[in-house]
mmCIF file of all heavy atoms in Angstrom:
data_model
loop_
_atom_site.group_PDB
_atom_site.id
_atom_site.type_symbol
_atom_site.label_atom_id
_atom_site.label_comp_id
_atom_site.label_asym_id
_atom_site.label_seq_id
_atom_site.Cartn_x
_atom_site.Cartn_y
_atom_site.Cartn_z
ATOM 1 N N LEU F 279 -156.320 72.124 -239.952
ATOM 2 C CA LEU F 279 -156.949 73.404 -240.055
ATOM 3 C C LEU F 279 -156.407 74.432 -238.917
ATOM 4 O O LEU F 279 -156.801 75.613 -239.097
ATOM 5 C CB LEU F 279 -158.450 73.289 -239.984
ATOM 6 C CG LEU F 279 -158.888 72.444 -241.289
ATOM 7 C CD1 LEU F 279 -160.395 72.131 -241.099
ATOM 8 C CD2 LEU F 279 -158.671 73.169 -242.573
ATOM 9 N N GLY F 280 -155.854 73.853 -237.911
ATOM 10 C CA GLY F 280 -155.150 74.925 -236.951
ATOM 11 C C GLY F 280 -156.188 75.425 -235.955
ATOM 12 O O GLY F 280 -155.799 76.253 -235.130
ATOM 13 N N PHE F 281 -157.418 75.026 -235.894
ATOM 14 C CA PHE F 281 -158.437 75.628 -234.959
ATOM 15 C C PHE F 281 -158.930 74.477 -234.135
ATOM 16 O O PHE F 281 -158.749 73.272 -234.430
ATOM 17 C CB PHE F 281 -159.437 76.454 -235.487
ATOM 18 C CG PHE F 281 -160.283 75.869 -236.605
ATOM 19 C CD1 PHE F 281 -161.319 74.998 -236.274
ATOM 20 C CD2 PHE F 281 -160.043 76.166 -237.898
ATOM 21 C CE1 PHE F 281 -162.158 74.414 -237.302
ATOM 22 C CE2 PHE F 281 -160.848 75.506 -238.929
ATOM 23 C CZ PHE F 281 -161.870 74.675 -238.577
ATOM 24 N N SER F 282 -159.785 74.901 -233.089
ATOM 25 C CA SER F 282 -160.395 73.912 -232.183
ATOM 26 C C SER F 282 -159.338 73.017 -231.528
ATOM 27 O O SER F 282 -159.458 71.713 -231.419
ATOM 28 C CB SER F 282 -161.480 73.076 -232.920
ATOM 29 O OG SER F 282 -162.558 73.863 -233.272
ATOM 30 N N ALA F 283 -158.173 73.572 -231.181
ATOM 31 C CA ALA F 283 -157.082 72.803 -230.670
ATOM 32 C C ALA F 283 -157.351 72.281 -229.137
ATOM 33 O O ALA F 283 -158.111 73.003 -228.444
ATOM 34 C CB ALA F 283 -155.758 73.613 -230.577
ATOM 35 N N CYS F 284 -156.979 71.129 -228.936
ATOM 36 C CA CYS F 284 -157.291 70.612 -227.566
ATOM 37 C C CYS F 284 -156.207 69.449 -227.382
ATOM 38 O O CYS F 284 -155.445 69.226 -228.292
ATOM 39 C CB CYS F 284 -158.605 70.149 -227.366
ATOM 40 S SG CYS F 284 -159.146 68.669 -228.453
ATOM 41 N N ARG F 285 -156.303 68.791 -226.297
ATOM 42 C CA ARG F 285 -155.424 67.640 -226.011
ATOM 43 C C ARG F 285 -156.140 66.602 -225.274
ATOM 44 O O ARG F 285 -157.098 66.817 -224.609
ATOM 45 C CB ARG F 285 -154.130 68.039 -225.211
ATOM 46 C CG ARG F 285 -154.466 68.685 -223.901
ATOM 47 C CD ARG F 285 -153.172 69.314 -223.338
ATOM 48 N NE ARG F 285 -153.414 70.066 -222.053
ATOM 49 C CZ ARG F 285 -153.991 71.124 -221.831
ATOM 50 N NH1 ARG F 285 -154.254 71.962 -222.867
ATOM 51 N NH2 ARG F 285 -154.131 71.652 -220.660
ATOM 52 N N LEU F 286 -155.796 65.297 -225.481
ATOM 53 C CA LEU F 286 -156.402 64.224 -224.779
ATOM 54 C C LEU F 286 -155.395 63.830 -223.674
ATOM 55 O O LEU F 286 -154.243 63.472 -223.904
ATOM 56 C CB LEU F 286 -156.736 63.017 -225.649
ATOM 57 C CG LEU F 286 -158.102 63.066 -226.275
ATOM 58 C CD1 LEU F 286 -158.256 64.194 -227.252
ATOM 59 C CD2 LEU F 286 -158.315 61.679 -227.026
ATOM 60 N N SER F 287 -155.867 63.939 -222.492
ATOM 61 C CA SER F 287 -154.948 63.778 -221.376
ATOM 62 C C SER F 287 -155.485 62.908 -220.172
ATOM 63 O O SER F 287 -156.724 62.698 -220.099
ATOM 64 C CB SER F 287 -154.480 65.069 -220.703
ATOM 65 O OG SER F 287 -153.886 65.912 -221.633
ATOM 66 N N LEU F 288 -154.648 62.199 -219.416
ATOM 67 C CA LEU F 288 -154.950 61.503 -218.323
ATOM 68 C C LEU F 288 -155.024 62.480 -217.073
ATOM 69 O O LEU F 288 -154.137 63.264 -216.967
ATOM 70 C CB LEU F 288 -153.987 60.355 -218.051
ATOM 71 C CG LEU F 288 -154.114 59.169 -219.007
ATOM 72 C CD1 LEU F 288 -152.779 58.377 -219.038
ATOM 73 C CD2 LEU F 288 -155.221 58.216 -218.593
ATOM 74 N N ALA F 289 -155.980 62.280 -216.255
ATOM 75 C CA ALA F 289 -156.087 63.184 -215.176
ATOM 76 C C ALA F 289 -156.613 62.351 -213.893
ATOM 77 O O ALA F 289 -157.243 61.388 -214.027
ATOM 78 C CB ALA F 289 -157.096 64.343 -215.314
ATOM 79 N N VAL F 290 -156.053 62.618 -212.681
ATOM 80 C CA VAL F 290 -156.273 61.847 -211.467
ATOM 81 C C VAL F 290 -156.682 62.837 -210.428
ATOM 82 O O VAL F 290 -156.534 64.102 -210.566
ATOM 83 C CB VAL F 290 -154.980 61.175 -211.010
ATOM 84 C CG1 VAL F 290 -154.459 60.197 -212.105
ATOM 85 C CG2 VAL F 290 -153.838 62.129 -210.602
ATOM 86 N N PRO F 291 -157.300 62.380 -209.251
ATOM 87 C CA PRO F 291 -157.649 63.221 -208.133
ATOM 88 C C PRO F 291 -156.486 63.874 -207.596
ATOM 89 O O PRO F 291 -155.408 63.349 -207.584
ATOM 90 C CB PRO F 291 -158.329 62.181 -207.164
ATOM 91 C CG PRO F 291 -158.866 61.019 -208.048
ATOM 92 C CD PRO F 291 -157.878 60.975 -209.184
ATOM 93 N N ARG F 292 -156.603 65.138 -207.194
ATOM 94 C CA ARG F 292 -155.653 66.007 -206.745
ATOM 95 C C ARG F 292 -154.822 65.286 -205.610
ATOM 96 O O ARG F 292 -153.587 65.520 -205.561
ATOM 97 C CB ARG F 292 -156.207 67.243 -206.226
ATOM 98 C CG ARG F 292 -155.086 68.367 -206.001
ATOM 99 C CD ARG F 292 -155.645 69.683 -205.474
ATOM 100 N NE ARG F 292 -156.516 70.352 -206.596
ATOM 101 C CZ ARG F 292 -157.866 70.377 -206.585
ATOM 102 N NH1 ARG F 292 -158.522 69.937 -205.490
ATOM 103 N NH2 ARG F 292 -158.419 71.016 -207.466
ATOM 104 N N ASP F 293 -155.460 64.542 -204.812
ATOM 105 C CA ASP F 293 -154.686 63.959 -203.663
ATOM 106 C C ASP F 293 -154.420 62.475 -203.864
ATOM 107 O O ASP F 293 -154.198 61.596 -202.940
ATOM 108 C CB ASP F 293 -155.681 64.033 -202.342
ATOM 109 C CG ASP F 293 -157.064 63.348 -202.601
ATOM 110 O OD1 ASP F 293 -157.274 62.804 -203.710
ATOM 111 O OD2 ASP F 293 -157.771 63.373 -201.644
ATOM 112 N N ALA F 294 -154.277 62.069 -205.197
ATOM 113 C CA ALA F 294 -154.085 60.617 -205.481
ATOM 114 C C ALA F 294 -152.603 60.168 -205.303
ATOM 115 O O ALA F 294 -152.414 59.021 -205.263
ATOM 116 C CB ALA F 294 -154.452 60.347 -206.987
ATOM 117 N N GLY F 295 -151.716 61.109 -205.073
ATOM 118 C CA GLY F 295 -150.308 60.694 -204.864
ATOM 119 C C GLY F 295 -149.764 60.112 -206.110
ATOM 120 O O GLY F 295 -149.075 59.067 -206.155
ATOM 121 N N TYR F 296 -150.025 60.808 -207.237
ATOM 122 C CA TYR F 296 -149.493 60.283 -208.616
ATOM 123 C C TYR F 296 -147.982 60.230 -208.621
ATOM 124 O O TYR F 296 -147.296 61.229 -208.234
ATOM 125 C CB TYR F 296 -150.022 61.190 -209.644
ATOM 126 C CG TYR F 296 -149.654 60.667 -211.088
ATOM 127 C CD1 TYR F 296 -150.289 59.523 -211.674
ATOM 128 C CD2 TYR F 296 -148.655 61.270 -211.829
ATOM 129 C CE1 TYR F 296 -149.920 59.157 -212.912
ATOM 130 C CE2 TYR F 296 -148.271 60.950 -213.033
ATOM 131 C CZ TYR F 296 -149.016 59.780 -213.691
ATOM 132 O OH TYR F 296 -148.630 59.403 -214.934
ATOM 133 N N THR F 297 -147.414 59.087 -209.095
ATOM 134 C CA THR F 297 -145.920 58.998 -209.107
ATOM 135 C C THR F 297 -145.397 58.706 -210.510
ATOM 136 O O THR F 297 -144.265 58.525 -210.723
ATOM 137 C CB THR F 297 -145.452 57.834 -208.179
ATOM 138 O OG1 THR F 297 -146.187 56.576 -208.547
ATOM 139 C CG2 THR F 297 -145.804 58.167 -206.729
ATOM 140 N N GLY F 298 -146.256 58.609 -211.506
ATOM 141 C CA GLY F 298 -145.915 58.327 -212.819
ATOM 142 C C GLY F 298 -146.769 57.316 -213.536
ATOM 143 O O GLY F 298 -147.803 56.867 -212.834
ATOM 144 N N LEU F 299 -146.522 56.982 -214.747
ATOM 145 C CA LEU F 299 -147.478 56.123 -215.587
ATOM 146 C C LEU F 299 -147.769 54.851 -214.957
ATOM 147 O O LEU F 299 -148.871 54.267 -215.053
ATOM 148 C CB LEU F 299 -146.848 55.898 -216.986
ATOM 149 C CG LEU F 299 -147.196 56.955 -218.013
ATOM 150 C CD1 LEU F 299 -146.489 56.522 -219.399
ATOM 151 C CD2 LEU F 299 -148.691 57.146 -218.133
ATOM 152 N N ARG F 300 -146.890 54.234 -214.087
ATOM 153 C CA ARG F 300 -147.092 52.941 -213.461
ATOM 154 C C ARG F 300 -148.254 53.058 -212.445
ATOM 155 O O ARG F 300 -148.803 52.043 -212.001
ATOM 156 C CB ARG F 300 -145.831 52.406 -212.767
ATOM 157 C CG ARG F 300 -144.565 52.189 -213.659
ATOM 158 C CD ARG F 300 -144.956 51.420 -214.946
ATOM 159 N NE ARG F 300 -145.550 50.110 -214.710
ATOM 160 C CZ ARG F 300 -145.857 49.203 -215.583
ATOM 161 N NH1 ARG F 300 -145.662 49.599 -216.894
ATOM 162 N NH2 ARG F 300 -146.419 48.083 -215.303
ATOM 163 N N TRP F 301 -148.591 54.351 -212.069
ATOM 164 C CA TRP F 301 -149.725 54.448 -211.071
ATOM 165 C C TRP F 301 -150.942 53.854 -211.658
ATOM 166 O O TRP F 301 -151.812 53.440 -210.881
ATOM 167 C CB TRP F 301 -149.827 55.970 -210.809
ATOM 168 C CG TRP F 301 -150.890 56.339 -209.863
ATOM 169 C CD1 TRP F 301 -150.649 56.509 -208.468
ATOM 170 C CD2 TRP F 301 -152.266 56.668 -210.163
ATOM 171 N NE1 TRP F 301 -151.880 56.882 -207.883
ATOM 172 C CE2 TRP F 301 -152.933 56.948 -208.893
ATOM 173 C CE3 TRP F 301 -153.045 56.574 -211.270
ATOM 174 C CZ2 TRP F 301 -154.303 57.179 -208.799
ATOM 175 C CZ3 TRP F 301 -154.489 56.835 -211.185
ATOM 176 C CH2 TRP F 301 -155.043 57.177 -209.963
ATOM 177 N N PHE F 302 -151.156 53.925 -212.963
ATOM 178 C CA PHE F 302 -152.367 53.444 -213.583
ATOM 179 C C PHE F 302 -152.490 51.871 -213.595
ATOM 180 O O PHE F 302 -153.612 51.396 -214.027
ATOM 181 C CB PHE F 302 -152.508 53.973 -215.021
ATOM 182 C CG PHE F 302 -152.765 55.495 -215.042
ATOM 183 C CD1 PHE F 302 -151.629 56.310 -215.300
ATOM 184 C CD2 PHE F 302 -153.971 56.035 -214.800
ATOM 185 C CE1 PHE F 302 -151.889 57.698 -215.345
ATOM 186 C CE2 PHE F 302 -154.117 57.397 -214.857
ATOM 187 C CZ PHE F 302 -153.110 58.217 -215.152
ATOM 188 N N GLU F 303 -151.429 51.210 -213.311
ATOM 189 C CA GLU F 303 -151.498 49.709 -213.310
ATOM 190 C C GLU F 303 -152.650 49.178 -212.335
ATOM 191 O O GLU F 303 -152.793 49.601 -211.211
ATOM 192 C CB GLU F 303 -150.184 49.086 -212.751
ATOM 193 C CG GLU F 303 -149.991 47.627 -212.886
ATOM 194 C CD GLU F 303 -149.849 47.207 -214.421
ATOM 195 O OE1 GLU F 303 -149.291 48.058 -215.159
ATOM 196 O OE2 GLU F 303 -150.205 46.078 -214.719
ATOM 197 N N ASN F 304 -153.490 48.445 -213.008
ATOM 198 C CA ASN F 304 -154.720 47.844 -212.302
ATOM 199 C C ASN F 304 -155.604 48.840 -211.775
ATOM 200 O O ASN F 304 -156.536 48.486 -210.982
ATOM 201 C CB ASN F 304 -154.212 46.867 -211.157
ATOM 202 C CG ASN F 304 -153.339 45.704 -211.664
ATOM 203 O OD1 ASN F 304 -153.548 45.135 -212.694
ATOM 204 N ND2 ASN F 304 -152.379 45.475 -210.834
ATOM 205 N N ARG F 305 -155.656 50.087 -212.345
ATOM 206 C CA ARG F 305 -156.564 51.052 -211.991
ATOM 207 C C ARG F 305 -157.665 51.092 -213.029
ATOM 208 O O ARG F 305 -157.543 50.633 -214.057
ATOM 209 C CB ARG F 305 -155.919 52.538 -211.948
ATOM 210 C CG ARG F 305 -154.764 52.563 -211.064
ATOM 211 C CD ARG F 305 -155.013 52.915 -209.526
ATOM 212 N NE ARG F 305 -153.807 53.228 -208.769
ATOM 213 C CZ ARG F 305 -153.753 53.654 -207.563
ATOM 214 N NH1 ARG F 305 -155.001 53.876 -206.921
ATOM 215 N NH2 ARG F 305 -152.660 53.774 -206.947
ATOM 216 N N ARG F 306 -158.793 51.694 -212.555
ATOM 217 C CA ARG F 306 -159.936 51.831 -213.545
ATOM 218 C C ARG F 306 -159.901 53.209 -213.954
ATOM 219 O O ARG F 306 -159.892 54.260 -213.306
ATOM 220 C CB ARG F 306 -161.248 51.555 -212.833
ATOM 221 C CG ARG F 306 -162.457 51.858 -213.711
ATOM 222 C CD ARG F 306 -163.763 51.502 -213.028
ATOM 223 N NE ARG F 306 -164.047 50.191 -212.694
ATOM 224 C CZ ARG F 306 -165.154 49.702 -212.183
ATOM 225 N NH1 ARG F 306 -166.132 50.479 -211.751
ATOM 226 N NH2 ARG F 306 -165.307 48.378 -211.974
ATOM 227 N N VAL F 307 -159.921 53.442 -215.369
ATOM 228 C CA VAL F 307 -159.919 54.736 -215.985
ATOM 229 C C VAL F 307 -161.148 54.983 -216.871
ATOM 230 O O VAL F 307 -161.425 54.137 -217.684
ATOM 231 C CB VAL F 307 -158.605 54.872 -216.847
ATOM 232 C CG1 VAL F 307 -158.640 56.295 -217.469
ATOM 233 C CG2 VAL F 307 -157.426 54.646 -216.128
ATOM 234 N N ALA F 308 -161.888 56.043 -216.547
ATOM 235 C CA ALA F 308 -163.092 56.345 -217.345
ATOM 236 C C ALA F 308 -162.830 57.206 -218.536
ATOM 237 O O ALA F 308 -162.001 58.200 -218.477
ATOM 238 C CB ALA F 308 -164.147 57.078 -216.499
ATOM 239 N N THR F 309 -163.373 56.916 -219.691
ATOM 240 C CA THR F 309 -163.065 57.628 -220.892
ATOM 241 C C THR F 309 -164.109 57.500 -221.997
ATOM 242 O O THR F 309 -164.946 56.505 -221.968
ATOM 243 C CB THR F 309 -161.785 57.234 -221.475
ATOM 244 O OG1 THR F 309 -161.316 58.124 -222.621
ATOM 245 C CG2 THR F 309 -161.735 55.827 -221.907
ATOM 246 N N SER F 310 -164.193 58.498 -222.880
ATOM 247 C CA SER F 310 -165.072 58.392 -224.093
ATOM 248 C C SER F 310 -164.138 57.939 -225.290
ATOM 249 O O SER F 310 -164.604 57.967 -226.394
ATOM 250 C CB SER F 310 -165.833 59.701 -224.334
ATOM 251 O OG SER F 310 -166.615 59.944 -223.247
ATOM 252 N N TYR F 311 -162.913 57.807 -224.986
ATOM 253 C CA TYR F 311 -162.001 57.500 -226.144
ATOM 254 C C TYR F 311 -161.158 56.181 -225.767
ATOM 255 O O TYR F 311 -159.829 56.281 -225.501
ATOM 256 C CB TYR F 311 -160.904 58.657 -226.246
ATOM 257 C CG TYR F 311 -161.658 59.869 -226.713
ATOM 258 C CD1 TYR F 311 -162.142 60.829 -225.788
ATOM 259 C CD2 TYR F 311 -161.859 60.236 -228.109
ATOM 260 C CE1 TYR F 311 -162.805 61.963 -226.249
ATOM 261 C CE2 TYR F 311 -162.597 61.211 -228.481
ATOM 262 C CZ TYR F 311 -163.009 62.162 -227.583
ATOM 263 O OH TYR F 311 -163.696 63.346 -227.960
ATOM 264 N N PRO F 312 -161.833 55.048 -225.687
ATOM 265 C CA PRO F 312 -161.179 53.840 -225.174
ATOM 266 C C PRO F 312 -160.192 53.315 -226.200
ATOM 267 O O PRO F 312 -159.078 52.753 -225.809
ATOM 268 C CB PRO F 312 -162.307 52.841 -225.130
ATOM 269 C CG PRO F 312 -163.341 53.427 -226.068
ATOM 270 C CD PRO F 312 -163.294 54.867 -225.901
ATOM 271 N N ASN F 313 -160.336 53.481 -227.599
ATOM 272 C CA ASN F 313 -159.351 53.017 -228.438
ATOM 273 C C ASN F 313 -157.907 53.716 -228.366
ATOM 274 O O ASN F 313 -156.855 53.077 -228.327
ATOM 275 C CB ASN F 313 -159.887 53.046 -229.861
ATOM 276 C CG ASN F 313 -161.001 52.108 -230.115
ATOM 277 O OD1 ASN F 313 -161.158 51.041 -229.499
ATOM 278 N ND2 ASN F 313 -161.879 52.539 -230.955
ATOM 279 N N ILE F 314 -158.023 54.982 -228.278
ATOM 280 C CA ILE F 314 -156.776 55.685 -228.121
ATOM 281 C C ILE F 314 -156.043 55.457 -226.786
ATOM 282 O O ILE F 314 -154.822 55.133 -226.776
ATOM 283 C CB ILE F 314 -157.019 57.250 -228.142
ATOM 284 C CG1 ILE F 314 -157.603 57.724 -229.531
ATOM 285 C CG2 ILE F 314 -155.746 58.037 -227.837
ATOM 286 C CD1 ILE F 314 -158.101 59.122 -229.604
ATOM 287 N N LEU F 315 -156.868 55.321 -225.727
ATOM 288 C CA LEU F 315 -156.143 55.016 -224.417
ATOM 289 C C LEU F 315 -155.701 53.717 -224.500
ATOM 290 O O LEU F 315 -154.628 53.360 -223.919
ATOM 291 C CB LEU F 315 -157.264 55.179 -223.352
ATOM 292 C CG LEU F 315 -156.803 54.943 -221.916
ATOM 293 C CD1 LEU F 315 -155.631 55.906 -221.626
ATOM 294 C CD2 LEU F 315 -157.832 55.259 -220.975
ATOM 295 N N ARG F 316 -156.369 52.564 -224.937
ATOM 296 C CA ARG F 316 -155.945 51.266 -224.909
ATOM 297 C C ARG F 316 -154.715 51.158 -225.706
ATOM 298 O O ARG F 316 -153.712 50.412 -225.151
ATOM 299 C CB ARG F 316 -157.023 50.385 -225.595
ATOM 300 C CG ARG F 316 -156.743 48.900 -225.489
ATOM 301 C CD ARG F 316 -157.969 48.117 -226.064
ATOM 302 N NE ARG F 316 -159.251 48.304 -225.155
ATOM 303 C CZ ARG F 316 -160.296 48.928 -225.519
ATOM 304 N NH1 ARG F 316 -160.298 49.530 -226.822
ATOM 305 N NH2 ARG F 316 -161.354 49.055 -224.796
ATOM 306 N N LYS F 317 -154.545 51.838 -226.779
ATOM 307 C CA LYS F 317 -153.300 51.840 -227.589
ATOM 308 C C LYS F 317 -152.144 52.405 -226.739
ATOM 309 O O LYS F 317 -151.094 51.856 -226.819
ATOM 310 C CB LYS F 317 -153.489 52.534 -228.908
ATOM 311 C CG LYS F 317 -152.260 52.556 -229.753
ATOM 312 C CD LYS F 317 -152.578 53.267 -231.127
ATOM 313 C CE LYS F 317 -151.223 53.314 -231.974
ATOM 314 N NZ LYS F 317 -151.489 54.025 -233.215
ATOM 315 N N PHE F 318 -152.436 53.473 -226.126
ATOM 316 C CA PHE F 318 -151.425 54.221 -225.306
ATOM 317 C C PHE F 318 -150.931 53.264 -224.228
ATOM 318 O O PHE F 318 -149.678 53.170 -223.894
ATOM 319 C CB PHE F 318 -152.019 55.519 -224.729
ATOM 320 C CG PHE F 318 -151.048 56.237 -223.788
ATOM 321 C CD1 PHE F 318 -149.977 56.937 -224.283
ATOM 322 C CD2 PHE F 318 -151.193 56.260 -222.498
ATOM 323 C CE1 PHE F 318 -149.009 57.670 -223.519
ATOM 324 C CE2 PHE F 318 -150.327 56.938 -221.606
ATOM 325 C CZ PHE F 318 -149.251 57.583 -222.182
#
């Protein structure tokens, strides 16, 4: 329908020193969308 557009994204603390997706290895991620994230 083209409205109510949004995106589902991963976000980290500003000072986390993010280096790429491998940063999430063994980390705890909070979400209301566990199935989408688990598949990703």
Side-chain angles (χ1 to χ4, degrees):
L279 297 171
F281 57 80
S282 294
C284 64
R285 56 193 181 275
L286 269 66
S287 296
L288 285 157
V290 303
R292 190 179 295 111
D293 58 357
Y296 183 75
T297 55
L299 275 177
R300 302 309 307 178
W301 183 92
F302 292 100
E303 187 73 25
N304 298 321
R305 306 271 187 174
R306 178 183 288 183
V307 184
T309 184
S310 300
Y311 297 92
N313 291 330
I314 295 173
L315 183 57
R316 190 173 293 110
K317 181 179 180 182
F318 176 77

